[in-house]
Short mmCIF file of all heavy atoms in Angstrom, two decimals:
data_model
loop_
_atom_site.label_atom_id
_atom_site.label_comp_id
_atom_site.label_asym_id
_atom_site.label_seq_id
_atom_site.Cartn_x
_atom_site.Cartn_y
_atom_site.Cartn_z
N ALA A 93 -6.67 58.08 -80.68
CA ALA A 93 -6.73 58.29 -82.13
C ALA A 93 -6.76 56.95 -82.86
O ALA A 93 -7.50 56.78 -83.84
CB ALA A 93 -5.52 59.12 -82.59
N GLY A 94 -5.97 56.00 -82.37
CA GLY A 94 -5.97 54.67 -82.97
C GLY A 94 -7.31 53.98 -82.80
O GLY A 94 -7.78 53.27 -83.71
N ALA A 95 -7.95 54.18 -81.65
CA ALA A 95 -9.27 53.59 -81.42
C ALA A 95 -10.30 54.17 -82.38
O ALA A 95 -11.14 53.44 -82.94
CB ALA A 95 -9.70 53.82 -79.97
N PHE A 96 -10.25 55.48 -82.58
CA PHE A 96 -11.18 56.12 -83.54
C PHE A 96 -10.96 55.56 -84.94
O PHE A 96 -11.92 55.27 -85.66
CB PHE A 96 -10.96 57.63 -83.55
CG PHE A 96 -11.45 58.35 -82.30
CD1 PHE A 96 -11.24 59.71 -82.15
CD2 PHE A 96 -12.09 57.66 -81.30
CE1 PHE A 96 -11.69 60.38 -81.02
CE2 PHE A 96 -12.53 58.32 -80.14
CZ PHE A 96 -12.32 59.69 -80.01
N ALA A 97 -9.69 55.43 -85.33
CA ALA A 97 -9.37 54.89 -86.65
C ALA A 97 -9.80 53.43 -86.77
O ALA A 97 -10.27 52.98 -87.81
CB ALA A 97 -7.88 55.04 -86.93
N LEU A 98 -9.65 52.68 -85.66
CA LEU A 98 -10.08 51.28 -85.66
C LEU A 98 -11.58 51.18 -85.87
O LEU A 98 -12.07 50.30 -86.61
CB LEU A 98 -9.67 50.62 -84.35
CG LEU A 98 -10.08 49.14 -84.17
CD1 LEU A 98 -9.45 48.29 -85.27
CD2 LEU A 98 -9.67 48.64 -82.79
N TYR A 99 -12.33 52.07 -85.22
CA TYR A 99 -13.79 52.07 -85.41
C TYR A 99 -14.14 52.37 -86.87
O TYR A 99 -15.06 51.76 -87.42
CB TYR A 99 -14.42 53.11 -84.49
CG TYR A 99 -15.93 53.19 -84.62
CD1 TYR A 99 -16.75 52.24 -84.03
CD2 TYR A 99 -16.52 54.21 -85.35
CE1 TYR A 99 -18.14 52.32 -84.16
CE2 TYR A 99 -17.89 54.30 -85.49
CZ TYR A 99 -18.70 53.35 -84.88
OH TYR A 99 -20.07 53.42 -85.02
N ALA A 100 -13.41 53.30 -87.47
CA ALA A 100 -13.64 53.59 -88.89
C ALA A 100 -13.39 52.34 -89.73
O ALA A 100 -14.17 52.03 -90.65
CB ALA A 100 -12.72 54.73 -89.35
N LEU A 101 -12.33 51.61 -89.41
CA LEU A 101 -12.02 50.37 -90.13
C LEU A 101 -13.12 49.33 -89.93
O LEU A 101 -13.50 48.63 -90.88
CB LEU A 101 -10.68 49.82 -89.63
CG LEU A 101 -10.20 48.51 -90.28
CD1 LEU A 101 -9.95 48.71 -91.77
CD2 LEU A 101 -8.93 48.02 -89.58
N VAL A 102 -13.64 49.24 -88.71
CA VAL A 102 -14.73 48.30 -88.43
C VAL A 102 -15.96 48.64 -89.27
O VAL A 102 -16.61 47.76 -89.83
CB VAL A 102 -15.08 48.32 -86.92
CG1 VAL A 102 -16.39 47.58 -86.66
CG2 VAL A 102 -13.95 47.68 -86.12
N CYS A 103 -16.27 49.92 -89.37
CA CYS A 103 -17.43 50.35 -90.17
C CYS A 103 -17.24 50.00 -91.64
O CYS A 103 -18.18 49.54 -92.30
CB CYS A 103 -17.67 51.85 -90.00
SG CYS A 103 -18.33 52.31 -88.37
N VAL A 104 -16.04 50.22 -92.15
CA VAL A 104 -15.75 49.83 -93.54
C VAL A 104 -15.93 48.32 -93.69
O VAL A 104 -16.51 47.84 -94.68
CB VAL A 104 -14.31 50.23 -93.93
CG1 VAL A 104 -13.94 49.64 -95.28
CG2 VAL A 104 -14.18 51.75 -93.98
N GLY A 105 -15.45 47.58 -92.70
CA GLY A 105 -15.59 46.14 -92.74
C GLY A 105 -17.05 45.68 -92.76
O GLY A 105 -17.41 44.78 -93.52
N PHE A 106 -17.88 46.32 -91.96
CA PHE A 106 -19.30 45.96 -91.94
C PHE A 106 -19.99 46.35 -93.25
O PHE A 106 -20.97 45.72 -93.65
CB PHE A 106 -20.01 46.61 -90.75
CG PHE A 106 -20.00 45.76 -89.52
CD1 PHE A 106 -18.99 45.89 -88.58
CD2 PHE A 106 -21.00 44.82 -89.30
CE1 PHE A 106 -18.97 45.10 -87.44
CE2 PHE A 106 -20.99 44.03 -88.17
CZ PHE A 106 -19.97 44.16 -87.23
N ALA A 107 -19.48 47.36 -93.91
CA ALA A 107 -20.04 47.74 -95.22
C ALA A 107 -19.73 46.69 -96.28
O ALA A 107 -20.53 46.46 -97.19
CB ALA A 107 -19.50 49.10 -95.65
N LEU A 108 -18.58 46.03 -96.13
CA LEU A 108 -18.11 45.10 -97.16
C LEU A 108 -18.27 43.63 -96.80
O LEU A 108 -18.17 42.77 -97.67
CB LEU A 108 -16.63 45.37 -97.45
CG LEU A 108 -16.27 46.80 -97.92
CD1 LEU A 108 -14.76 46.93 -98.06
CD2 LEU A 108 -16.97 47.13 -99.23
N ALA A 109 -18.50 43.33 -95.53
CA ALA A 109 -18.52 41.95 -95.06
C ALA A 109 -19.60 41.12 -95.76
O ALA A 109 -20.68 41.63 -96.09
CB ALA A 109 -18.74 41.91 -93.56
N GLY A 110 -19.27 39.84 -95.94
CA GLY A 110 -20.24 38.97 -96.61
C GLY A 110 -20.39 37.60 -95.99
O GLY A 110 -21.27 36.83 -96.40
N ASP A 111 -19.56 37.26 -94.98
CA ASP A 111 -19.70 35.94 -94.38
C ASP A 111 -19.45 36.00 -92.87
O ASP A 111 -19.05 37.03 -92.32
CB ASP A 111 -18.77 34.92 -95.03
CG ASP A 111 -17.28 35.27 -94.90
OD1 ASP A 111 -16.87 35.69 -93.80
OD2 ASP A 111 -16.55 35.14 -95.88
N TYR A 112 -19.66 34.87 -92.23
CA TYR A 112 -19.63 34.81 -90.76
C TYR A 112 -18.23 35.06 -90.20
O TYR A 112 -18.08 35.77 -89.19
CB TYR A 112 -20.14 33.44 -90.30
CG TYR A 112 -20.31 33.34 -88.81
CD1 TYR A 112 -21.42 33.92 -88.19
CD2 TYR A 112 -19.37 32.68 -88.02
CE1 TYR A 112 -21.58 33.84 -86.82
CE2 TYR A 112 -19.54 32.59 -86.65
CZ TYR A 112 -20.64 33.17 -86.05
OH TYR A 112 -20.80 33.10 -84.70
N LEU A 113 -17.23 34.49 -90.81
CA LEU A 113 -15.87 34.65 -90.30
C LEU A 113 -15.43 36.12 -90.35
O LEU A 113 -14.75 36.60 -89.44
CB LEU A 113 -14.89 33.79 -91.09
CG LEU A 113 -14.94 32.28 -90.82
CD1 LEU A 113 -13.94 31.54 -91.70
CD2 LEU A 113 -14.66 31.99 -89.35
N GLN A 114 -15.80 36.79 -91.40
CA GLN A 114 -15.49 38.22 -91.50
C GLN A 114 -16.18 39.00 -90.38
O GLN A 114 -15.57 39.86 -89.75
CB GLN A 114 -15.92 38.76 -92.86
CG GLN A 114 -15.08 38.23 -94.02
CD GLN A 114 -15.62 38.65 -95.36
OE1 GLN A 114 -16.74 39.16 -95.48
NE2 GLN A 114 -14.84 38.42 -96.41
N LEU A 115 -17.43 38.68 -90.12
CA LEU A 115 -18.16 39.35 -89.04
C LEU A 115 -17.54 39.05 -87.68
O LEU A 115 -17.43 39.94 -86.83
CB LEU A 115 -19.62 38.93 -89.05
CG LEU A 115 -20.49 39.47 -90.20
CD1 LEU A 115 -21.89 38.90 -90.11
CD2 LEU A 115 -20.54 41.00 -90.16
N ALA A 116 -17.12 37.81 -87.48
CA ALA A 116 -16.48 37.45 -86.21
C ALA A 116 -15.22 38.29 -85.98
O ALA A 116 -14.99 38.81 -84.88
CB ALA A 116 -16.14 35.96 -86.20
N GLY A 117 -14.41 38.43 -87.01
CA GLY A 117 -13.23 39.28 -86.91
C GLY A 117 -13.57 40.72 -86.62
O GLY A 117 -12.89 41.38 -85.81
N LEU A 118 -14.64 41.21 -87.22
CA LEU A 118 -15.05 42.60 -87.00
C LEU A 118 -15.57 42.82 -85.59
O LEU A 118 -15.33 43.87 -84.98
CB LEU A 118 -16.12 42.99 -88.03
CG LEU A 118 -15.61 43.12 -89.47
CD1 LEU A 118 -16.77 43.25 -90.43
CD2 LEU A 118 -14.68 44.32 -89.60
N PHE A 119 -16.27 41.84 -85.04
CA PHE A 119 -16.75 41.97 -83.66
C PHE A 119 -15.58 41.93 -82.68
O PHE A 119 -15.64 42.57 -81.62
CB PHE A 119 -17.77 40.87 -83.34
CG PHE A 119 -19.18 41.25 -83.70
CD1 PHE A 119 -19.73 40.89 -84.92
CD2 PHE A 119 -19.97 41.99 -82.82
CE1 PHE A 119 -21.03 41.25 -85.26
CE2 PHE A 119 -21.26 42.35 -83.14
CZ PHE A 119 -21.80 41.99 -84.37
N ILE A 120 -14.52 41.20 -83.01
CA ILE A 120 -13.32 41.22 -82.18
C ILE A 120 -12.70 42.62 -82.20
O ILE A 120 -12.36 43.18 -81.15
CB ILE A 120 -12.31 40.17 -82.66
CG1 ILE A 120 -12.81 38.76 -82.35
CG2 ILE A 120 -10.94 40.40 -82.02
CD1 ILE A 120 -11.96 37.66 -82.95
N LEU A 121 -12.57 43.18 -83.38
CA LEU A 121 -12.00 44.53 -83.50
C LEU A 121 -12.89 45.56 -82.80
O LEU A 121 -12.38 46.50 -82.16
CB LEU A 121 -11.85 44.90 -84.98
CG LEU A 121 -10.82 44.11 -85.77
CD1 LEU A 121 -10.79 44.56 -87.23
CD2 LEU A 121 -9.43 44.25 -85.15
N TYR A 122 -14.19 45.37 -82.89
CA TYR A 122 -15.10 46.31 -82.23
C TYR A 122 -14.95 46.23 -80.71
O TYR A 122 -14.98 47.25 -80.02
CB TYR A 122 -16.55 46.01 -82.64
CG TYR A 122 -17.54 47.00 -82.08
CD1 TYR A 122 -17.63 48.30 -82.58
CD2 TYR A 122 -18.39 46.66 -81.03
CE1 TYR A 122 -18.53 49.21 -82.07
CE2 TYR A 122 -19.29 47.56 -80.51
CZ TYR A 122 -19.36 48.84 -81.03
OH TYR A 122 -20.24 49.74 -80.51
N GLY A 123 -14.76 45.03 -80.18
CA GLY A 123 -14.54 44.87 -78.75
C GLY A 123 -13.26 45.57 -78.30
O GLY A 123 -13.23 46.20 -77.23
N ILE A 124 -12.21 45.48 -79.12
CA ILE A 124 -10.96 46.18 -78.80
C ILE A 124 -11.17 47.68 -78.82
O ILE A 124 -10.68 48.41 -77.94
CB ILE A 124 -9.86 45.78 -79.81
CG1 ILE A 124 -9.51 44.29 -79.65
CG2 ILE A 124 -8.62 46.64 -79.62
CD1 ILE A 124 -8.58 43.77 -80.73
N PHE A 125 -11.94 48.17 -79.80
CA PHE A 125 -12.22 49.59 -79.88
C PHE A 125 -12.95 50.08 -78.63
O PHE A 125 -12.56 51.07 -78.02
CB PHE A 125 -13.06 49.92 -81.12
CG PHE A 125 -13.90 51.16 -80.94
CD1 PHE A 125 -13.31 52.41 -80.89
CD2 PHE A 125 -15.28 51.05 -80.75
CE1 PHE A 125 -14.08 53.55 -80.68
CE2 PHE A 125 -16.05 52.18 -80.55
CZ PHE A 125 -15.45 53.44 -80.51
N VAL A 126 -14.03 49.40 -78.26
CA VAL A 126 -14.83 49.85 -77.12
C VAL A 126 -14.00 49.83 -75.83
O VAL A 126 -14.07 50.76 -75.02
CB VAL A 126 -16.09 48.98 -76.96
CG1 VAL A 126 -16.87 49.38 -75.70
CG2 VAL A 126 -17.00 49.12 -78.17
N ALA A 127 -13.20 48.79 -75.65
CA ALA A 127 -12.35 48.71 -74.47
C ALA A 127 -11.38 49.88 -74.41
O ALA A 127 -11.18 50.50 -73.35
CB ALA A 127 -11.58 47.39 -74.48
N SER A 128 -10.78 50.21 -75.54
CA SER A 128 -9.83 51.33 -75.60
C SER A 128 -10.55 52.66 -75.40
O SER A 128 -10.08 53.52 -74.65
CB SER A 128 -9.11 51.33 -76.94
OG SER A 128 -8.43 50.11 -77.16
N ASP A 129 -11.68 52.82 -76.05
CA ASP A 129 -12.42 54.08 -76.00
C ASP A 129 -12.89 54.39 -74.59
O ASP A 129 -12.72 55.51 -74.10
CB ASP A 129 -13.61 54.00 -76.96
CG ASP A 129 -14.39 55.30 -77.02
OD1 ASP A 129 -13.82 56.31 -77.47
OD2 ASP A 129 -15.57 55.31 -76.61
N GLU A 130 -13.46 53.41 -73.91
CA GLU A 130 -14.06 53.67 -72.60
C GLU A 130 -13.01 53.85 -71.51
O GLU A 130 -13.15 54.73 -70.65
CB GLU A 130 -15.01 52.54 -72.23
CG GLU A 130 -16.27 52.51 -73.09
CD GLU A 130 -17.28 51.49 -72.61
OE1 GLU A 130 -16.96 50.75 -71.66
OE2 GLU A 130 -18.38 51.44 -73.19
N SER A 131 -11.97 53.05 -71.52
CA SER A 131 -11.00 53.11 -70.43
C SER A 131 -10.01 54.26 -70.60
O SER A 131 -9.73 55.01 -69.64
CB SER A 131 -10.24 51.79 -70.33
OG SER A 131 -9.52 51.51 -71.51
N VAL A 132 -9.50 54.45 -71.79
CA VAL A 132 -8.45 55.45 -72.00
C VAL A 132 -9.01 56.86 -72.04
O VAL A 132 -8.37 57.80 -71.56
CB VAL A 132 -7.66 55.13 -73.29
CG1 VAL A 132 -6.54 56.14 -73.49
CG2 VAL A 132 -7.08 53.73 -73.21
N ASN A 133 -10.21 57.05 -72.59
CA ASN A 133 -10.80 58.38 -72.63
C ASN A 133 -10.94 58.99 -71.25
O ASN A 133 -10.63 60.17 -71.02
CB ASN A 133 -12.17 58.34 -73.31
CG ASN A 133 -12.07 58.30 -74.82
OD1 ASN A 133 -10.99 58.20 -75.37
ND2 ASN A 133 -13.19 58.36 -75.49
N LYS A 134 -11.41 58.19 -70.30
CA LYS A 134 -11.60 58.71 -68.94
C LYS A 134 -10.27 59.07 -68.29
O LYS A 134 -10.16 60.07 -67.59
CB LYS A 134 -12.36 57.67 -68.10
CG LYS A 134 -13.81 57.49 -68.54
CD LYS A 134 -14.52 56.41 -67.74
CE LYS A 134 -15.95 56.23 -68.23
NZ LYS A 134 -16.65 55.16 -67.48
N ALA A 135 -9.25 58.25 -68.54
CA ALA A 135 -7.93 58.55 -68.00
C ALA A 135 -7.38 59.83 -68.62
O ALA A 135 -6.75 60.66 -67.94
CB ALA A 135 -6.98 57.38 -68.26
N TYR A 136 -7.63 60.01 -69.92
CA TYR A 136 -7.15 61.21 -70.62
C TYR A 136 -7.84 62.46 -70.08
O TYR A 136 -7.19 63.50 -69.88
CB TYR A 136 -7.42 61.04 -72.11
CG TYR A 136 -6.84 62.13 -72.99
CD1 TYR A 136 -5.47 62.34 -73.06
CD2 TYR A 136 -7.67 62.94 -73.78
CE1 TYR A 136 -4.93 63.32 -73.87
CE2 TYR A 136 -7.14 63.91 -74.60
CZ TYR A 136 -5.77 64.11 -74.65
OH TYR A 136 -5.26 65.08 -75.46
N ILE A 137 -9.14 62.35 -69.83
CA ILE A 137 -9.89 63.48 -69.27
C ILE A 137 -9.34 63.84 -67.89
O ILE A 137 -9.18 65.02 -67.56
CB ILE A 137 -11.39 63.15 -69.19
CG1 ILE A 137 -11.98 63.10 -70.59
CG2 ILE A 137 -12.14 64.18 -68.33
CD1 ILE A 137 -13.39 62.56 -70.65
N ALA A 138 -9.04 62.83 -67.10
CA ALA A 138 -8.47 63.08 -65.77
C ALA A 138 -7.12 63.78 -65.89
O ALA A 138 -6.81 64.69 -65.11
CB ALA A 138 -8.32 61.76 -65.02
N ASP A 139 -6.32 63.39 -66.87
CA ASP A 139 -5.02 64.03 -67.09
C ASP A 139 -5.19 65.50 -67.46
O ASP A 139 -4.43 66.37 -67.01
CB ASP A 139 -4.25 63.32 -68.21
CG ASP A 139 -3.85 61.91 -67.83
OD1 ASP A 139 -3.85 61.59 -66.63
OD2 ASP A 139 -3.53 61.13 -68.74
N LEU A 140 -6.20 65.79 -68.30
CA LEU A 140 -6.38 67.14 -68.81
C LEU A 140 -6.99 68.10 -67.79
O LEU A 140 -6.66 69.28 -67.77
CB LEU A 140 -7.27 67.12 -70.06
CG LEU A 140 -6.73 66.41 -71.31
CD1 LEU A 140 -7.79 66.43 -72.41
CD2 LEU A 140 -5.45 67.08 -71.80
#
Side-chain angles (χ1 to χ4, degrees):
F96 289 176
L98 179 60
Y99 180 78
L101 180 63
V102 168
C103 288
V104 171
F106 270 92
L108 302 175
D111 61 43
Y112 188 77
L113 286 179
Q114 291 173 349
L115 288 177
L118 290 169
F119 273 95
I120 289 173
L121 293 179
Y122 184 73
I124 295 172
F125 153 71
V126 176
S128 302
D129 183 64
E130 291 187 356
S131 61
V132 181
N133 281 5
K134 292 177 181 179
Y136 187 62
I137 290 170
D139 293 343
L140 295 177

